[in-house]
Amino acid sequence: MAKKKQTIDEVIALFSDYLRSIHRADSTVHYYNRQWKKVKAFMLTHKIKYFDRSVSEMFFTSTLGKYEYRSLRYSGKNMVNLIEALHEFQETGKVLKGTQRNPPKIFTGVIGESMLEYITRRQALLNLSKATIHNYYLYLNRFLLHLNEKGIKKINEISKHDILSFTRSISPHLLASKSIALGILKGYLRHLFDQSLIESNYSIIVPRVNYDKQPKLPSVFSKEEVTTLLGSIDRSSPVGKRDYAILLLATKLGLRTSDIVALKFENIIWEKNIIEFNQVKTKKHITLPLLPEIGNAIIDYMKYGRPVSDEPYCFLQLLAPHDRIEKSSVGGLVRYNLKRAGIKIGNRKHGPHALRHSFAEKLLSNKTTLPVISEALGHSSSESTMYYMRIDINALRQCALEVDLIPSSFYQQKGGHK
């Protein structure tokens, strides 16, 4: 059956409602609307009644001419992102993550083929996660584009200067990203040398980044703040019922966002009052207690808030087509409800992971042993859990050793302090 044609006003109205349902700020929605009104004016001028993808392409051609996305200025990229998000929503009922357009990573030529071969080899050897594979594609593609801009098409044409100029092009303010990018580049260059594709081992010239993955203390919210957060949610609405159940899973069980969005009905064993699943991040199987308040909140959402859907996932987007909730939406609802509860954020991070940290801090303050905390958080080793020890100063003080006082005779001996 053909899809119903829509005017741009109809699409904008539906998309604006959707953005508000996932807790985008009114100021953000108004900003998006200002961009979309440009297309509306274009359609009025050209007497176009219905909006679709072809209309946005005509608008881009009229406004930007023949363009390459990556060569646009920030304002141009932003306009393209928001207008493409509009017709993507029209076609799929979803919002693009962060309304960002990510051009496909294309690997052309001999160098591009060698990069793909390297990624395939690393994936087979190390069983890389999706996130790691994404980073390989992202940063090797950037290196390829850098080489293409310099007119370098063959592997043996890559020089020390080309490598160093690429490393300098990575923002020094993004230390985490730079550390990942240079690590991937170093591995690729070592691969080229091992395969005798280049004569020199250029991996040794890739600079190191002095980056500590955990330089700051984890952000946490106190027991009182968590109580205020949960108590402020309007549980009379479908969105409130869903958000309340999600926040309970984050604050009372410390679930990661990836596990919340992947939670299925089959993971809730009602007759045993447990929740069990394989964690998305670690693949480790975990069994957690189905606390009464969590069970009741999920039942309340299922009966009176969850859209009618055949999806096996517990938590869904509010608007059609009612797919499972996205990780970005969980982050949005956490930030929205913290702000709505009037909790002062300060310089703390205030996403879903901060609630997981808060759960760990609560366990530490109750003098829970490290192995039990590791099990509750689903860590693959206690070393990961040690990261959370830094958030509880009192617990750290208990680890301090008593220091014997130095007798006064020490200072009276020959050569002692006077």
Side-chain angles (χ1 to χ4, degrees), residues 383-397:
E383 290 183 6
S384 300
T385 314
M386 288 298 292
Y387 171 51
Y388 294 86
M389 286 294 292
R390 302 180 302 150
I391 64 183
D392 189 352
I393 299 300
N394 291 326
L396 289 175
R397 284 173 180 159

Side-chain angles (χ1 to χ4, degrees), residues 105-321:
K105 306 296 182 290
I106 300 174
F107 293 82
T108 57
V110 176
I111 298 177
E113 289 177 3
S114 73
M115 289 177 172
L116 291 176
E117 190 271 332
Y118 172 66
I119 295 172
T120 301
R121 176 175 296 207
R122 296 291 289 177
Q123 185 176 359
L125 182 65
L126 302 175
N127 191 25
L128 302 176
S129 67
K130 289 183 179 180
T132 302
I133 295 170
H134 168 78
N135 285 334
Y136 272 78
Y137 278 102
L138 175 64
Y139 294 116
L140 287 179
N141 184 255
R142 288 183 183 178
F143 183 51
L144 177 63
L145 293 174
H146 179 80
L147 296 175
N148 288 342
E149 288 175 357
K150 292 179 172 294
I152 297 170
K153 302 297 182 182
K154 297 179 181 179
I155 294 175
N156 59 11
E157 293 177 347
I158 299 175
S159 69
K160 181 187 300 186
H161 173 75
D162 301 319
I163 296 167
L164 293 177
S165 64
F166 173 71
T167 63
R168 288 192 293 267
S169 71
I170 304 173
S171 173
H173 303 295
L174 302 174
L175 289 181
S177 298
K178 188 164 187 174
S179 176
I180 295 170
L182 296 185
I184 291 172
L185 176 62
K186 183 184 286 286
Y188 171 64
L189 294 173
R190 189 184 304 114
H191 164 76
L192 294 181
F193 178 71
D194 292 341
Q195 298 295 312
S196 300
L197 297 174
I198 53 177
E199 294 183 359
S200 300
N201 183 8
Y202 286 139
S203 68
I204 62 176
I205 70 168
V206 176
R208 293 182 179 274
V209 177
N210 187 18
Y211 168 67
D212 183 355
K213 289 186 177 180
Q214 299 173 353
K216 297 180 181 179
L217 291 177
S219 297
V220 297
F221 293 90
S222 67
K223 179 181 178 181
E224 292 72 24
E225 287 174 324
V226 170
T227 300
T228 299
L229 168 65
L230 295 174
S232 68
I233 298 173
D234 178 13
R235 293 156 59 188
S236 64
S237 66
V239 64
K241 295 179 188 296
R242 183 197 65 182
D243 291 1
Y244 183 67
I246 287 175
L247 290 173
L248 282 176
L249 289 169
T251 58
K252 303 296 183 180
L253 294 180
L255 262 63
R256 296 184 181 90
T257 305
S258 56
D259 293 326
I260 291 174
V261 302
L263 191 68
K264 297 181 179 180
F265 293 119
E266 66 188 48
N267 300 131
I268 305 175
I269 316 301
W270 297 98
E271 59 272 18
K272 295 183 180 179
N273 288 326
I274 60 174
I275 301 174
E276 59 179 15
F277 55 89
N278 292 324
Q279 296 171 102
V280 174
K281 182 178 180 179
T282 65
K283 308 296 188 258
K284 179 182 177 182
H285 187 80
I286 187 172
T287 300
L288 299 169
L290 178 61
L291 303 176
E293 58 183 325
I294 295 178
N296 290 333
I298 293 176
I299 290 173
D300 187 40
Y301 167 64
M302 288 168 54
K303 291 178 67 175
Y304 305 112
R306 188 178 186 272
V308 177
S309 172
D310 293 330
E311 283 284 346
Y313 300 100
C314 292
F315 302 109
L316 306 180
Q317 302 283 7
L318 293 177
L319 300 181

